[in-house]
Amino acid sequence: MTINPCQLLILILAFTGSMNGIQSANILGLFTSLSPSHLIIQMSTAKILAERGHNVTVVTVLKPLVTHKDINLIQVPLSTEDAQRHSEIIGSMSKNDNSNIIVSLFGMLKRTGFMFRKMVVALKDPRVRDLYLNNGNKFDLVVGGYFMNEYQLGFARKVKAPIVLVALMPPNQMIGSLIGNPLEGSFLSADKDAGKKDQGTSFRQRLTNYFYSQFFKLFNYLSERRNIDFYNELFAEDPSMPPFHDMVKNVSLIFFASHGPSEGPIRALVPAAIEIGGIHIKDKPDPLPKDLSSFLGNATDGAILLSLGSNVKSSHVKPETVKKMFNVLSKLKQRVIWKWEDLEKTPGKSDNILYSKWLPQDDVLAHPNTKLFINHAGKGGITEAAYHGKPMLALPIFGDQPGNAISMVQKGFGLTQSLLTLEEQPFLEAIQDILTNPQYTEKVSSYSSLYRDRPITARKSLIYWTEYVIRHHGAAHLQSPLVHMNSIAANNLDVYVLIFVSLAAVILLLKIVFKFIIKTIASKSKKGKKQKKH
Ligand SMILES: *[C@@H]1O[C@H](CO)[C@@H](O)[C@H](O)[C@H]1NC(C)=O
Ligand SMILES: *[C@@H]1O[C@H](CO)[C@@H](O)[C@H](O)[C@H]1NC(C)=O
Ligand SMILES: *[C@@H]1O[C@H](CO)[C@@H](O)[C@H](O)[C@H]1NC(C)=O
């Protein structure tokens, strides 16, 4: 008997690949987002699914930072002019005051027109259209990166596969309705402060929440108009495509990069809402490169990691500021790992400082000797440090960084100072305060243990639920009835109207009957009196 290579492959798969009853599936990721932070989360899910052995194809516009050798990447890049315009928009967005979510949402709707157009253009690319035009392609599942782009659900119908979404936000008013997640308007707000403990306990707060959510409805309506236009532009030529309003009822489930039990606010989740907050962080750290490993391993007094992110180049930091930081750090007994691009021109030589051009930040933070993380208050860095329970000193510069820093300090995870006005004495005092006062480490450690305490890890949850949808060819059975109800039915308004009208009718009827009775009695007693007089 001879076995050809194909049969051999099947045999090998049969013995090794028992992924809960499914073989390697063909999965398509639609990650056309022009936001780098969204793409990191989205690509993290693709990477995990590829590591699991699935055949993952991904469509992107940006060049992904996170990826995997086995992922088939279809990048539809921006033209040089568009890339220039894109970086200008990102720059102008980060300069705006984003403290009010309503104002920032409407501003975003206006400014992001260009970005949304590019996402649509990517789906029109011949290589991308080939995914459904070429009958050789068979997909078992589409994973869509979500941000106000419901029109892409049509693509899943085109490749005849169920769709799940990945979202950076918690199940809020913008996205929750796709899977019928209830919105407890009395205590959940569309406002940014939704995480606050006292939400909705007072009448005033609930009234504010109510008006915010009405504004949000208007926003959702405008976003929907845009989606319908894009949907028709992409798919209307095909008469077999359902109308947009039916298509949005076809999401199998949504992965949210959030974790309500530790981050708040506490809310109800339908079975189709799966929280995978921290998905971009590894469950177990990788071994460190040799030099870092022995430098950190021998840091008997602890170590400090200093990284001002990839956006902050020397042009943002004045040489005097770097000098001041060096003066403070070189005198510490702790060891310092300093992320520094230009190894020819370092801030200075010192035995306790190791400069490194590239750093596995996540793995360094996971090391038990790392005691403090000095950062630029980027969201990713703060999340990683909080995950590993490491206190922080944030040195924000622009964009969302000052806001991230303030919210980190409010949680008690560390301190913040502006990098632009950094002085030696306060910088030293802040470092020493965080290293010696245990309250910061305690706060961030207890958050970390809450954040990680889950029945299964984010990674396992992603794999389980993805394969669940593949095994059952979609998850229509998981859907909340709310998905198929209009707002009158969902809020029982018709029932209230019926009860009100019935009550009013009964009251009216009783009134008429009473009037009649009183009239009859009155006229009888009148008659009686008249008869007595006679
Ligand atoms: C993986 O998926 C792509 C896209 O459908 C397909 O072209 C390729 O043949 C698949 N590879 C395997 C090994 O199935
Ligand atoms: C300390 O440094 C030495 C020499 O570089 C190295 O061999 C050793 O493994 C380090 N110790 C730890 C605990 O990493
Ligand atoms: C989506 O539409 C397909 C085809 O009509 C259907 O079989 C499937 O059950 C739907 N999925 C959901 C989640 O509604």
Side-chain angles (χ1 to χ4, degrees):
M1 194 183 97
T2 51
I3 296 179
N4 70 30
C6 184
Q7 283 169 326
L8 190 66
L9 189 70
I10 291 170
L11 274 178
I12 291 170
L13 280 178
F15 282 106
T16 58
S18 74
M19 297 175 187
N20 293 328
I22 59 165
Q23 303 298 347
S24 166
N26 286 335
I27 298 174
L28 172 63
L30 295 178
F31 302 148
T32 51
S33 173
L34 271 76
S35 152
S37 54
H38 283 235
L39 192 59
I40 285 176
I41 300 292
Q42 293 161 0
M43 284 305 293
S44 299
T45 66
K47 181 176 178 216
I48 289 169
L49 295 171
E51 282 167 358
R52 170 82 171 161
H54 293 299
N55 178 23
V56 183
T57 303
V58 166
V59 179
T60 71
V61 173
L62 303 180
K63 185 176 176 351
L65 293 174
V66 178
T67 187
H68 185 270
K69 63 178 174 38
D70 294 338
I71 291 178
N72 317 307
L73 181 67
I74 303 176
Q75 194 196 350
V76 187
L78 294 174
S79 67
T80 321
E81 284 158 48
D82 286 344
Q84 175 68 23
R85 178 134 183 241
H86 176 232
S87 81
E88 275 163 21
I89 291 176
I90 296 261
S92 79
M93 290 214 296
S94 60
K95 281 195 197 79
N96 273 286
D97 170 24
N98 293 326
S99 53
N100 185 317
I101 191 161
I102 300 295
V103 174
S104 68
L105 278 177
F106 280 101
M108 195 160 66
L109 205 54
K110 240 177 65 194
R111 279 192 306 265
T112 54
F114 158 81
M115 292 161 115
F116 277 85
R117 179 117 289 282
K118 293 298 150 192
M119 292 169 72
V120 172
V121 168
L123 292 191
K124 286 183 173 174
D125 186 272
R127 286 176 298 156
V128 179
R129 276 163 55 91
D130 185 66
L131 294 171
Y132 58 79
L133 293 177
N134 179 349
N135 285 330
N137 289 320
K138 292 262 181 296
F139 290 105
D140 304 296
L141 183 73
V142 174
V143 182
Y146 176 82
F147 193 68
M148 292 158 48
N149 55 349
E150 285 88 346
Y151 63 84
Q152 71 172 347
L153 296 174
F155 204 91
R157 175 61 60 96
K158 279 291 205 184
V159 300
K160 303 189 186 70
I163 185 165
V164 302
L165 299 177
V166 178
L168 246 73
M169 58 196 86
N172 61 13
Q173 199 176 350
M174 186 191 278
I175 184 174
S177 60
L178 283 174
I179 46 169
N181 208 57
L183 184 80
E184 292 89 345
S186 62
F187 64 91
L188 288 178
S189 168
D191 191 3
K192 212 178 188 176
D193 300 327
K196 279 190 192 158
K197 274 256 151 46
D198 62 346
Q199 273 293 311
T201 46
S202 70
F203 179 74
R204 216 182 119 210
Q205 189 57 256
R206 281 184 291 125
L207 199 64
T208 320
N209 287 356
Y210 178 79
F211 282 110
Y212 264 120
S213 77
Q214 295 311 306
F215 267 120
F216 220 99
K217 276 191 187 147
L218 178 62
F219 170 79
N220 278 345
Y221 173 77
L222 295 176
S223 167
E224 186 181 56
R225 301 290 336 151
R226 182 154 83 177
N227 267 291
I228 292 175
D229 290 346
F230 285 154
Y231 181 81
N232 291 338
E233 179 182 335
L234 284 164
F235 307 116
E237 79 212 19
D238 177 355
S240 72
M241 289 294 281
F244 178 81
H245 282 109
D246 289 341
M247 207 66 246
V248 291
K249 295 173 183 152
N250 214 241
V251 178
S252 287
L253 55 80
I254 303 182
F255 292 110
F256 295 96
S258 59
H259 184 241
S262 61
E263 297 167 341
I266 297 304
R267 67 173 90 220
L269 296 180
V270 293
I274 310 295
E275 290 196 296
I276 54 162
I279 191 72
H280 59 300
I281 305 172
K282 282 174 285 201
D283 286 350
K284 266 204 204 112
D286 289 334
L288 288 168
K290 263 231 164 71
D291 57 335
L292 280 175
S293 164
S294 65
F295 186 78
L296 261 179
N298 284 315
T300 40
D301 289 309
I304 296 170
L305 170 63
L306 167 58
S307 166
L308 298 181
S310 42
N311 289 327
V312 184
K313 294 267 156 58
S314 40
S315 56
H316 290 107
V317 195
K318 289 176 286 184
E320 308 96 85
T321 308
V322 174
K323 190 83 211 142
K324 284 173 193 162
M325 290 169 81
F326 176 79
N327 290 345
V328 170
L329 294 171
S330 58
K331 287 183 198 110
L332 294 174
K333 61 178 196 259
Q334 284 80 15
R335 290 189 161 184
V336 179
I337 296 175
W338 191 331
K339 182 168 180 283
W340 189 260
E341 312 277 326
D342 186 1
L343 294 182
E344 309 277 291
K345 252 178 74 185
T346 59
K349 265 185 100 65
S350 172
D351 280 347
N352 74 328
I353 300 182
L354 177 77
Y355 297 99
S356 180
K357 203 167 163 169
W358 174 84
L359 275 179
Q361 180 166 295
D362 188 16
D363 302 326
V364 173
L365 285 170
H367 196 283
N369 283 353
T370 304
K371 301 293 180 204
L372 167 64
F373 181 29
I374 304 178
N375 60 37
H376 68 305
K379 255 221 164 77
I382 289 183
T383 310
E384 281 174 22
Y387 179 88
H388 293 294
K390 299 298 156 81
M392 289 161 255
L393 172 58
L395 307 175
I397 306 170
F398 56 68
D400 64 340
Q401 297 162 4
N404 295 341
I406 289 168
S407 116
M408 181 276 288
V409 171
Q410 273 169 355
K411 290 183 193 135
F413 299 171
L415 298 171
T416 180
Q417 280 174 5
S418 168
L419 184 64
L420 301 176
T421 58
L422 185 127
E423 290 302 332
E424 284 187 30
Q425 196 53 30
F427 184 54
L428 176 65
E429 278 166 13
I431 290 175
Q432 276 171 344
D433 184 15
I434 300 172
L435 287 174
T436 53
N437 186 341
Q439 73 173 36
Y440 303 107
T441 307
E442 279 163 15
K443 277 264 167 62
V444 73
S445 304
S446 80
Y447 171 83
S448 164
S449 61
L450 269 186
Y451 190 70
R452 297 172 185 221
D453 198 342
R454 313 181 191 186
I456 56 172
T457 63
R459 182 189 174 89
K460 286 192 178 134
S461 189
L462 173 81
I463 291 172
Y464 177 83
W465 286 104
T466 303
E467 292 178 357
Y468 177 95
V469 174
I470 295 171
R471 272 198 295 281
H472 301 287
H473 310 288
H477 59 281
L478 275 191
Q479 251 180 359
S480 158
L482 268 183
V483 173
H484 301 276
M485 291 160 86
N486 61 25
S487 62
I488 293 179
N491 294 301
N492 262 344
L493 294 184
D494 43 0
V495 173
Y496 295 141
V497 168
L498 179 75
I499 291 176
F500 179 79
V501 169
S502 312
L503 271 180
V506 167
I507 289 170
L508 207 69
L509 206 71
L510 282 178
K511 219 170 149 184
I512 292 169
V513 171
F514 259 118
K515 257 193 187 153
F516 180 76
I517 294 174
I518 288 168
K519 221 177 183 175
T520 325
I521 295 175
S523 71
K524 261 196 188 151
S525 67
K526 243 186 202 168
K527 261 187 200 160
K529 273 180 196 166
K530 269 185 192 165
Q531 276 170 357
K532 263 187 191 169
K533 270 186 186 172
H534 276 275

